[in-house]
Amino acid sequence: MTHLDDTTLGRNGKASTFAEKKAHKTRRQIQAEKLAFASSVVQKANALENPLEPFKKFHHYVTKENEIISLQVKRVTELPQETLNWIFDLMERNMKTYYEQSQWKWDAAAKQTELTEPSAWYLIAFNENNMLGFSHFRFDLDNQAEVLYCYELQLEPSARRKGLGRFMMQCLEIMASNNQMQKLVLTVLKKNVSACSFFFKLGFKTDITNPSASEGLDYAILSKQNLQRT
């Protein structure tokens, strides 16, 4: 009887080692472990009271005109109805026309449902007198990767071209980095040329999940890697 050491015969009659079988099993385990880790990272981030709290320098933004703008992060369930009404109104004023020109079309009820789903977080920018802008974001799994997904970044007309949008995206980046997200992801309508240009200037690139050009879709999925994890 021939001694094959750690070798056995497979169904095709070829020798395969226990080490190879172990390696194959390990690859499956690695994928499962990665998904489990990603899920735990997302759960940990969503359990925070305020993911922006540790970063005091991001609690205020000072414009070139020395206007002081405050920023805070709240869960959607913590927002008063007055703030939610403003969010819906600003969203419609800024985006309804773009949606009507897209394959998505504008569905106010569906958009309100999306904006108020329990997993939603909000970064709110305001001064003493007015709400100035918001970002709707979530810590989530996307294509089995832990991400901070920016659903919306909307500013009042009076708050534009002051660097506030860039500053708010920096807030999202620091929260993504601090909570070990792989990347910051967002979806943008291609016809919103100014938004596309804005995000590309911030270093966003086409994400691996972006649909191929052959699909003819009118939106793009962009992302920015967490450089501390690459």
Side-chain angles (χ1 to χ4, degrees), residues 69-192:
I69 298 174
S70 299
L71 295 103
Q72 64 178 4
V73 168
K74 296 284 187 181
R75 300 176 190 273
V76 66
T77 53
E78 299 172 331
L79 296 178
Q81 188 60 48
E82 181 181 4
T83 300
L84 290 174
N85 292 342
W86 165 74
I87 287 172
F88 299 150
D89 178 64
L90 180 60
M91 182 72 198
E92 184 168 9
R93 283 186 280 124
N94 284 357
M95 297 302 298
K96 183 177 180 179
T97 299
Y98 287 113
Y99 272 77
E100 288 177 337
Q101 297 172 354
S102 75
Q103 296 160 333
W104 291 340
K105 304 307 177 185
W106 177 255
D107 185 332
K111 179 54 64 176
Q112 288 192 14
T113 297
E114 177 187 287
L115 290 168
T116 55
E117 288 178 356
S119 57
W121 289 87
Y122 279 88
L123 172 65
I124 307 286
F126 59 97
N127 59 19
E128 293 181 355
N129 302 312
N130 300 297
M131 298 287 191
L132 299 175
F134 74 85
S135 174
H136 164 203
F137 70 94
R138 305 185 194 185
F139 296 107
D140 209 348
L141 288 176
D142 184 60
N143 198 34
Q144 298 190 339
E146 58 274 27
V147 305
L148 189 157
Y149 210 112
C150 175
Y151 278 71
E152 303 292 344
L153 177 67
Q154 303 294 338
L155 299 180
E156 289 284 359
S158 62
R160 297 172 191 167
R161 301 189 182 281
K162 296 182 177 182
L164 178 59
R166 177 184 292 269
F167 186 79
M168 292 176 71
M169 291 304 297
Q170 290 174 346
C171 290
L172 298 185
E173 285 187 45
I174 196 66
M175 288 188 287
S177 177
N178 189 58
N179 289 285
Q180 294 299 298
M181 300 296 125
Q182 285 195 29
K183 53 190 175 181
L184 175 57
V185 187
L186 58 89
T187 302
V188 62
L189 289 168
K190 295 178 181 178
K191 287 190 175 182
N192 193 346

